[in-house]
Amino acid sequence: MSATHASPQPLRVTVWNEGRDERLHAEVAARYPRGIHGAIAEGIAEHLGDGARLRTATLDEPEHGLTEQVLAGTDVLTWWGHLAHREVSDEVVERVRRRVLGGMGLIVLHSGHWSKIFTRLMGTTCTLRWRAAGERELVWTLAPGHPIAAGVPHPIVIEQQEMYGEFFDIPVPDELVFVSSFSGGEVFRSGCTFRRGHGRIFYFSPGDQDYPVYHHPDVRRVIANAVRWAAPDGFRGKPKLIHSEAGWFDAGGRA
Amino acid sequence: MSATHASPQPLRVTVWNEGRDERLHAEVAARYPRGIHGAIAEGIAEHLGDGARLRTATLDEPEHGLTEQVLAGTDVLTWWGHLAHREVSDEVVERVRRRVLGGMGLIVLHSGHWSKIFTRLMGTTCTLRWRAAGERELVWTLAPGHPIAAGVPHPIVIEQQEMYGEFFDIPVPDELVFVSSFSGGEVFRSGCTFRRGHGRIFYFSPGDQDYPVYHHPDVRRVIANAVRWAAPDGFRGKPKLIHSEAGWFDAGGRA
Amino acid sequence: MSATHASPQPLRVTVWNEGRDERLHAEVAARYPRGIHGAIAEGIAEHLGDGARLRTATLDEPEHGLTEQVLAGTDVLTWWGHLAHREVSDEVVERVRRRVLGGMGLIVLHSGHWSKIFTRLMGTTCTLRWRAAGERELVWTLAPGHPIAAGVPHPIVIEQQEMYGEFFDIPVPDELVFVSSFSGGEVFRSGCTFRRGHGRIFYFSPGDQDYPVYHHPDVRRVIANAVRWAAPDGFRGKPKLIHSEAGWFDAGGRA
Amino acid sequence: MSATHASPQPLRVTVWNEGRDERLHAEVAARYPRGIHGAIAEGIAEHLGDGARLRTATLDEPEHGLTEQVLAGTDVLTWWGHLAHREVSDEVVERVRRRVLGGMGLIVLHSGHWSKIFTRLMGTTCTLRWRAAGERELVWTLAPGHPIAAGVPHPIVIEQQEMYGEFFDIPVPDELVFVSSFSGGEVFRSGCTFRRGHGRIFYFSPGDQDYPVYHHPDVRRVIANAVRWAAPDGFRGKPKLIHSEAGWFDAGGRA
């Protein structure tokens, strides 16, 4: 082994956005001139550089921009939706779910907590308590040393944010990376990991259409960290029912 | 408080069974003359006595015997299915899921791992490795002191059983109560708890149509323990999205 | 089974208190005229009534009031210490630890986070961030339906309290029941369960010598709930190394 | 960023071995001619190459070869002990513990389950059930996609091994990576992760003085994977009690 080596293949990341708030509200468009997806993609590029090959997709494209071919070429998908969760076709949701169970990483952002894909993978209502009042959010790291928390201050200070509070109806996370507090006194499990099938999922609540949260340097860093963390490790393929003969593992026919 | 007190209300338990194997195979009918549901209900009654009010329901009844009214009067539902998972109507599955999220306990048994209701609540494929070869299963307690393991030997010895082996594609359980080994060398997470919404779920793999496992005294005890453990604690109602004013909790308007 | 039945044996609870703040500071003595242990014991009695037989013990008694005989007659021990953790003898700490591993419940309160017994059972430093500034603490339930959270509002409002904040250096709890926020914006895992050996441990941070927190009705209820939850289920005895012959479980010699 | 980049610093790994079995028993010396530590170090080197800088240390060296200086230069420590756990000085154990809480990785191997350092970090007895009868062990992956399980077959087949069985008295692991079965029917949580303070710990049971398990290619791969996984992420320093002024995080004085 020499002191240098070829880079691994760049991570293929698809940034998905509903894309409606930007079209309905001029102030959202002003805040996110390249769309919320544009801001998210920028933040990932900032941190992963050549290590990521980014594309974006939105609700109003054919098949929401998430054809079988796009997903086959995606290592990690990020998801932002808000007003139009119901317009996402069940077929595309099932397609994404199969890919996640087969190893594709999924980063669910903010109001994506109520998306079809997240509730379908969690099995619960994913409901919560909320208030849009421009409150300060403090994001505290509960798992120091977790790769998703690398390089961020304790706490991350977000000056203005929508309040999301408990009870957040999700399964107990595999790892609770962040818990937030809000000026109003509420708390929220704002950074949670889940493994489902062969896929890794990270839910991260900071980020909103009405506040410039996706321009916040620490929020960008967390999302970039999460994309790297959620990358599949080699194996791709949905788990399946397997009929096994006795002693199959002696025959070298390991699986 | 005196030395005696009134009993709490008996637990209302509904034992659900697909009920097809018994009709298709004479040897299954001979093994379980009152149906698999009959054997399961008997085992629960043996342990909970007056503490449980049992009813049964099967696939071929109208609405599979699981009307809104039946579910409204059910504290804990047990589920056994095998050949006809697909015939369970999506509407009834969604109805059961809403009840579980609202606090009803659910005990999923053996081949119920692949039922619509379990896979819907887990979000994963719930697939596994299997072999029907009459192997000995040893059920080891990994959480001594857990109420579901109360009173059973370590290990439970089941002389003949279908093999279920890892990888079992479920979310990481909240508590791993039992792990089994089989003569052929496979291992399986045979007793797992999950909380979803306000409901408690227990998956327990021992039990089969082709072996008299539901007559096994320790298996019966585990199922009865699980029914008691899964009972709702007072509150019933599915979590929902809540818009909160600032300081709502100061007004005594706690929720 | 008739409609009434004999009560189970009352739970034998020992409430341990360092007992120094009350002697050093008149205002603490005024706040807790029967000692902090007195207030804690009162709160448990309020909720468990005849279901608990309470005794108290303090640092300055011989063997800190925790002789082998006292511990042998204790189902659940509650622990409050603050100024004098180092004065607790290592021998008594090891004695308590053996009992916990053997099935005795342990409820560690507030500044007990830094006691020898808690840090010994956790293996970590159990350090945290703190500030004594009379801030409002809100205690949010993250595990609705958990028996320790039964009957308390969401959130519990404590008008004045010492701030405890993350990072709290503990192992990841088995169950995270409560998370608190403070006026200053910090968050804290304020209610955590851990199983160690055959014993159940609950750490609960609300409660202080400088604020009347042990008179708060919801705090009292949580402690009483926790005492009930931590009660041993029958088996008592520290796990030990066991040499096993092959097939020992076939011989009926199960353990 | 170009297609090549400088390698990160090599991981500094210290392989610790009690080193007594090799001196007492000729057949152990024959099986492990460079000592058990030699075989373990070889396996790590095989997989990490220039990515690791290895050294070894043994019980009979001054300070057991684990001076403050050695530990200050160690990123990950592996631990193998068997006959002489009691001879390890409490001072060295405490020194190692402080380093683990401060971020040093620790891999505990096989009979190291009963070492002072492991039991001290776990807080429990770490006892188990055992039998030395040359049984086949099958090591099943329960967390596919976990970096510690990368590249190993499912199951790993070890032809001859000492049996370790449940109940294994450890805290519930953060992640349960492997569960083993043995010819005799027992099961064991053979691969477990734990975070304590800022350090990562992995316990891995396969490996013995009486069987050539540390020459097994899959066992070597797991240990090498674990060393990489346990490497600290930047921060080093034991958590400590912090007194915080209100609003400290606004001042840029984040910690």
Side-chain angles (χ1 to χ4, degrees), chain A residues 1-7 50 136 138 140 144-147 153-155 157 175 195 198 200 233 248-250 254-255, chain D residues 1 3-7 50 136 138 140 144-147 153-155 157 175 195 198 200 233 248-250 254-255:
Chain A
M1 194 187 282
S2 77
T4 60
H5 59 83
S7 280
D50 289 355
R136 185 191 66 189
L138 301 175
W140 300 89
H146 196 289
H154 178 69
V157 179
E175 299 164 304
R195 305 202 179 196
H198 291 115
R200 296 171 176 216
D233 332 20
W248 55 276
F249 42 76
D250 289 326
R254 297 168 189 181
Chain D
M1 193 184 283
T4 60
H5 59 83
S7 279
D50 288 356
R136 185 191 65 189
L138 301 175
W140 300 89
H146 196 288
H154 178 69
V157 179
E175 299 164 305
R195 302 201 182 199
H198 291 116
R200 295 172 177 214
D233 333 19
W248 54 275
F249 42 77
D250 289 325
R254 297 169 188 179

Side-chain angles (χ1 to χ4, degrees), chain A residues 17-248:
Chain A
N17 179 23
E18 183 185 292
R20 292 283 171 81
D21 281 278
E22 298 90 329
R23 284 177 12 200
L24 293 169
H25 307 290
E27 67 282 11
V28 177
R31 191 171 295 117
Y32 294 116
R34 268 162 296 197
I36 287 175
H37 50 296
I40 293 169
E42 245 173 53
I44 297 170
E46 229 171 75
H47 289 279
L48 303 193
D50 289 355
R53 202 159 61 218
L54 287 149
R55 79 170 106 195
T56 61
T58 55
L59 179 64
D60 292 328
E61 297 171 42
E63 304 186 48
H64 315 321
L66 299 173
T67 60
E68 284 288 6
Q69 200 187 353
V70 166
L71 292 176
T74 298
D75 294 314
V76 180
L77 175 68
T78 74
W79 194 275
W80 197 95
H82 175 224
L83 302 169
H85 294 312
R86 291 192 189 176
E87 295 181 40
V88 179
S89 92
D90 289 336
E91 192 189 332
V92 170
V93 170
E94 189 50 29
R95 189 186 291 165
V96 172
R97 192 177 82 97
R98 271 200 318 271
R99 289 286 169 180
V100 173
L101 298 178
M104 183 179 76
L106 178 70
I107 314 299
V108 177
L109 296 168
H110 191 60
S111 41
H113 73 89
W114 226 16
S115 62
K116 284 184 182 177
I117 183 60
F118 190 57
T119 55
R120 185 68 189 83
L121 281 161
M122 295 294 106
T124 57
T125 65
C126 301
T127 50
L128 45 75
R129 185 179 291 280
W130 68 282
R131 177 174 62 241
E135 291 169 73
R136 185 191 66 189
E137 175 174 0
L138 301 175
V139 185
W140 300 89
T141 297
L142 263 65
H146 196 289
I148 294 180
V152 298
H154 178 69
I156 300 173
V157 179
I158 302 173
E159 290 304 335
Q160 288 216 309
Q161 172 61 311
E162 183 180 15
M163 184 284 289
Y164 274 13
E166 296 284 342
F167 177 64
F168 183 21
D169 178 29
I170 49 171
V172 173
D174 293 354
E175 299 164 304
L176 182 55
V177 182
F178 301 117
V179 165
S180 291
S181 71
F182 293 84
S183 308
E186 283 88 355
V187 301
F188 193 66
R189 286 170 288 177
S190 48
C192 302
T193 76
F194 305 91
R195 305 202 179 196
R196 292 296 182 270
H198 291 115
R200 296 171 176 216
I201 301 168
F202 182 62
Y203 174 76
F204 187 53
S205 59
D208 195 73
Q209 72 284 353
D210 290 334
Y211 309 103
V213 181
Y214 291 118
H215 299 304
H216 190 297
D218 300 326
V219 169
R220 287 181 168 212
R221 182 181 290 270
V222 169
I223 296 172
N225 285 343
V227 163
R228 201 153 26 193
W229 169 85
D233 332 20
F235 183 83
R236 297 298 287 267
K238 202 165 71 111
K240 47 181 201 275
L241 205 70
I242 297 175
H243 182 266
S244 290
E245 294 304 311
W248 55 276

Side-chain angles (χ1 to χ4, degrees), chain D residues 138-216:
Chain D
L138 301 175
V139 185
W140 300 89
T141 298
L142 262 65
H146 196 288
I148 294 180
V152 299
H154 178 69
I156 300 172
V157 179
I158 302 174
E159 290 304 336
Q160 288 216 309
Q161 172 63 308
E162 184 180 14
M163 185 284 290
Y164 273 13
E166 298 284 342
F167 176 64
F168 183 22
D169 178 30
I170 49 171
V172 173
D174 293 355
E175 299 164 305
L176 182 55
V177 182
F178 301 116
V179 165
S180 291
S181 70
F182 292 85
S183 308
E186 282 88 354
V187 301
F188 193 68
R189 287 171 287 177
S190 47
C192 301
T193 76
F194 305 91
R195 302 201 182 199
R196 291 297 182 268
H198 291 116
R200 295 172 177 214
I201 302 169
F202 182 62
Y203 174 75
F204 187 53
S205 59
D208 195 74
Q209 72 284 352
D210 290 332
Y211 308 104
V213 181
Y214 291 117
H215 298 305
H216 191 298

Side-chain angles (χ1 to χ4, degrees), chain B residues 174-190:
Chain B
D174 293 354
E175 299 164 304
L176 182 54
V177 182
F178 301 116
V179 165
S180 292
S181 71
F182 292 84
S183 309
E186 283 87 355
V187 301
F188 193 69
R189 287 171 287 176
S190 47

Side-chain angles (χ1 to χ4, degrees), chain C residues 97 114 120-121 123 127-131 169 171 184 186 196-197 239-246 248-249, chain D residues 97 114 120 122-123 127-131 169 171 184 186 196-197 239-246 248-249:
Chain C
R97 193 178 80 100
W114 226 16
R120 186 68 189 81
L121 281 162
T127 50
L128 46 76
R129 186 179 290 280
W130 68 281
R131 178 173 62 241
D169 178 29
E186 283 88 354
R196 290 297 182 269
K240 45 182 201 275
L241 206 70
I242 297 175
H243 182 266
S244 290
E245 295 304 313
W248 55 274
F249 42 76
Chain D
R97 193 177 82 99
W114 227 16
R120 186 68 189 82
M122 296 294 107
T127 50
L128 46 74
R129 185 179 291 281
W130 68 282
R131 178 175 59 242
D169 178 30
E186 282 88 354
R196 291 297 182 268
K240 48 181 198 277
L241 205 70
I242 298 175
H243 182 266
S244 291
E245 294 305 310
W248 54 275
F249 42 77

